[in-house]
Amino acid sequence: MANILIVEARFYEHLNDLLLAGARAAIEEAGHTHETLTVPGALEAPAAIALADESGDYHAFVALGVVIRGETYHFEVVCNESARGIMDLTLTGLAIGNGILTVENEAQALARADPAQLDKGGGAAAAALAMMALRQRYVG
Ligand SMILES: Nc1c(NC[C@H](O)[C@H](O)[C@H](O)CO)[nH]c(=O)[nH]c1=O
Ligand SMILES: CC(=O)[C@@H](O)COP(=O)(O)O
C-alpha cells in the first residue's frame, strides 16, 4: 500500500471538490491511502510538492486545481509556470500526476472536473500511480 499526497490549489471551491472526489476515488480503488494539502493557487503547487517530498512520507503526488483565463497575461504565467514547475519535479524522479485544469471558462472546467464526465482528477491520480509503479520498477 502506498501513501499519496494530493496537493490542491483551491482557487475555485466547487470545482476543486469535484477534482478531489475523482482523485480520491481513483487512489482508494487502487488500494492506497491519501492525504490532502491545500495551497492558495496553482503557482504554489510545485513548491508545496517539493517541500512535502522532503518528509519522505509520500510515494507519489497529485496536483489539482483550475486556472480560468481572465483579462490579462497572468493566465499564461500561472498555467505555464505551474506546469513547468511540476514537470521539473517529475524530471528529478518524483511520481506526479498533473490535474491542474487550464481552461477558457467555467463550463470547460466543470466538464473536466466532474468525475461523472471527464474526471480529470481521477486521470491525474491514475497517472501518478502509473509513474509510481515505474519508479518502483526502475529505482526500487
Ligand atoms: N487566477 C488563478 C490563480 N491565480 C493565483 C496564483 O496561482 C497564485 O496563487 C498567486 O499569483 C499568488 O502567488 N490560481 C489558480 O489556481 N487558478 C486561477 O484561475
Ligand atoms: C488565471 C488568472 O490569474 C486570472 O484569474 C486572473 O484574472 P485577470 O487576468 O483578469 O486578472
Side-chain angles (χ1 to χ4, degrees), residues 64-80:
L64 299 177
V66 179
V67 188
I68 300 177
R69 186 182 296 277
E71 297 175 351
T72 70
Y73 186 73
H74 198 228
F75 174 80
E76 281 77 7
V77 170
V78 174
C79 294
N80 295 340

Side-chain angles (χ1 to χ4, degrees), residues 42-128:
L43 282 181
E44 283 76 41
I49 291 170
L51 289 170
D53 185 55
E54 291 292 316
S55 71
D57 292 344
Y58 309 106
H59 300 86
F61 302 86
V62 183
L64 299 177
V66 179
V67 188
I68 300 177
R69 186 182 296 277
E71 297 175 351
T72 70
Y73 186 73
H74 198 228
F75 174 80
E76 281 77 7
V77 170
V78 174
C79 294
N80 295 340
E81 293 306 308
S82 61
R84 170 49 52 197
I86 291 169
M87 184 60 68
D88 286 347
L89 289 171
T90 67
L91 294 175
T92 70
L94 270 63
I96 308 173
N98 188 348
I100 297 176
L101 306 181
T102 56
V103 296
E104 298 298 329
N105 54 58
E106 183 170 349
Q108 288 181 352
L110 190 57
R112 287 154 181 79
D114 188 352
Q117 295 186 64
L118 296 176
D119 192 22
K120 293 299 186 181

